[in-house]
Amino acid sequence: MSSPISTPFSAESTTADVIAGVDLTGRRTIVTGGASGIGVETARALASAGAEVTLAVRNTAAGDETAEDIIATTGNKQVYVAPLDLADRTSIAAFVAAWDGPLHILINNAGIMASPLMRTPERWEMQFATNHLGHFGLATGLHRALAAAGGARIVSVSSSAHLRSPVVFEDIHFLERDYEPWAAYGQSKTANVLFAVEASKRWAADGITANALHPGGIRTNLQRYVSDQELDRMRRAAGSSGVNWKTPEQGAATSVLVATSPLLDGVGGRYFEDCNEAAPNQPGTPRGVAPYALDPVAAQRLWDVSVETLAA
Ligand SMILES: NC(=O)c1ccc[n+]([C@@H]2O[C@H](COP(=O)([O-])OP(=O)(O)OC[C@H]3O[C@@H](n4cnc5c(N)ncnc54)[C@H](OP(=O)(O)O)[C@@H]3O)[C@@H](O)[C@H]2O)c1
């Protein structure tokens, strides 16, 4: 294994810090969930460096407002909005069909966390369907556009919550086992890392790399299903003081770094946190990457299962 990627940046670094000196003129980018939380600051940073940015969102009114704001703050008029519901195969297919030309950077950022049990019409568990299957369908649908870019990057926004669960292949959709919101979230976030591992392997000949990351803890709409008390309890249990939230600009920094830094040229299949490649997790600690999330056998299996699931 080659040496871990280390950068001059840290947990405190912002999108402005990591994008400084990067020129994305002529690069075409997509940010899913780009109208809320860290997606907004990810999109703003890409636009500030001259990229064309498409906000792929299910709430297009919020998307339009965000696009206007990004155009006003960056002066870059190439900020667009396109409808995308990741839990709906028809919506993904329509988004893919409407995409024309190369795609240089795909940021799979949208997500839901710790929701009560919800299912798609196919009976897929909603966190897995949204966070993994939707992004899998999107990326595979856009494969030709990514290959056409030459050196395209995919960014898989995962979470330290991947430490809560591997992908449980025996019962991914909680049809047999009791539903537990955090186990379902953790499973979906492990899937995000495994996707990066397998996509980098499968698409190496196309010059496509994919990496995953944990953005840090940021107060956003993501916590909509979690009470303040539960969040505090979890953060204390994880050994943090409960007050070390990142700003959205700090939270988006690792995504922007992974999407644009020359330090990651040709690098794929890895997991980052606080703007650096993460070390292996030490059991009982909340940092680092679980070995099961980087397991190439599980990555290949998940890919095959995802293809089968979407084709059914
Ligand atoms: N915030 C944190 O502390 C934290 C920590 C670890 C990992 N993350 C990860 O960071 C990413 C961004 O989270 P955030 O904190 O910025 O949360 P957020 O503010 O809730 O943004 C998430 C975005 O995903 C969109 N989304 C949800 N379901 C969708 C669907 N079916 N189709 C299309 N878009 C959908 C949401 O759209 P609506 O606005 O329409 O709901 C929203 O725009 C997520 O993948 C999350 O797991 C966040």
Side-chain angles (χ1 to χ4, degrees):
M1 170 101 187
S2 39
S3 49
I5 306 291
S6 130
T7 79
F9 303 108
S10 67
E12 284 76 39
S13 300
T14 63
T15 46
D17 296 331
V18 302
I19 202 81
V22 173
D23 181 6
L24 298 177
T25 309
R27 304 290 176 90
R28 306 183 67 217
T29 71
I30 294 172
V31 182
T32 69
S36 179
I38 64 173
V40 175
E41 296 314 319
T42 304
R44 194 191 310 280
L46 298 175
S48 77
E52 176 196 298
V53 182
T54 296
L55 309 174
V57 296
R58 61 178 172 177
N59 178 348
T60 51
D64 288 341
E65 226 171 89
T66 303
E68 261 177 48
D69 177 53
I70 293 176
I71 290 168
T73 52
T74 63
N76 181 345
K77 293 195 175 62
Q78 291 184 291
V79 184
Y80 306 108
V81 178
L84 175 69
D85 183 344
L86 289 160
D88 177 354
R89 281 187 281 187
T90 314
S91 170
I92 297 168
F95 182 94
V96 167
W99 186 265
D100 197 20
L103 171 60
H104 300 84
I105 297 173
L106 170 61
I107 307 215
N108 287 336
N109 163 83
I112 52 171
M113 180 176 80
S115 49
L117 180 59
M118 296 189 279
R119 296 192 181 279
T120 67
E122 298 90 342
R123 297 194 74 215
W124 302 334
E125 188 281 313
M126 190 60 84
Q127 297 190 69
F128 190 80
T130 305
N131 300 353
H132 169 65
L133 284 176
H135 283 125
F136 179 84
L138 182 67
T140 49
L142 291 168
H143 171 235
R144 203 178 302 169
L146 289 160
R153 293 191 188 184
I154 306 174
V155 177
S156 219
V157 181
S158 175
S159 169
S160 61
H162 82 273
L163 296 167
R164 289 170 168 270
S165 176
V167 172
V168 178
F169 287 100
E170 294 70 25
D171 186 18
I172 286 178
H173 297 289
F174 293 84
L175 296 168
E176 309 288 332
R177 53 185 169 143
D178 287 343
Y179 182 70
E180 204 283 298
W182 287 104
Y185 182 62
Q187 169 176 258
S188 74
K189 291 288 138 179
T190 292
N192 290 155
V193 189
L194 291 172
F195 168 77
V197 171
E198 184 65 12
S200 295
K201 186 177 125 199
R202 279 191 190 232
W203 293 343
D206 301 312
I208 300 167
T209 55
N211 289 287
L213 64 100
H214 168 56
I218 312 101
R219 289 311 295 255
T220 64
N221 290 326
L222 192 71
Q223 292 91 24
R224 71 184 78 176
Y225 297 115
V226 189
S227 69
D228 285 349
Q229 292 88 322
E230 188 179 359
L231 274 181
D232 268 1
R233 187 183 53 70
M234 287 173 48
R235 293 179 71 74
R236 271 199 302 277
S240 68
S241 66
V243 292
N244 57 345
W245 294 101
K246 288 185 180 183
T247 65
E249 291 82 358
Q250 290 171 332
T254 307
S255 295
V256 173
L257 176 111
V258 167
T260 66
S261 170
L263 294 168
L264 273 86
D265 277 346
V267 168
R270 304 197 192 191
Y271 176 93
F272 292 75
E273 64 190 349
D274 294 338
C275 295
N276 286 273
E277 188 174 349
N281 171 252
Q282 300 300 318
T285 70
R287 292 180 61 79
V289 61
Y292 57 67
L294 295 177
D295 175 7
V297 176
Q300 190 173 338
R301 184 173 179 191
L302 176 65
W303 190 284
D304 294 342
V305 167
S306 304
V307 169
E308 275 166 32
T309 305
L310 290 179

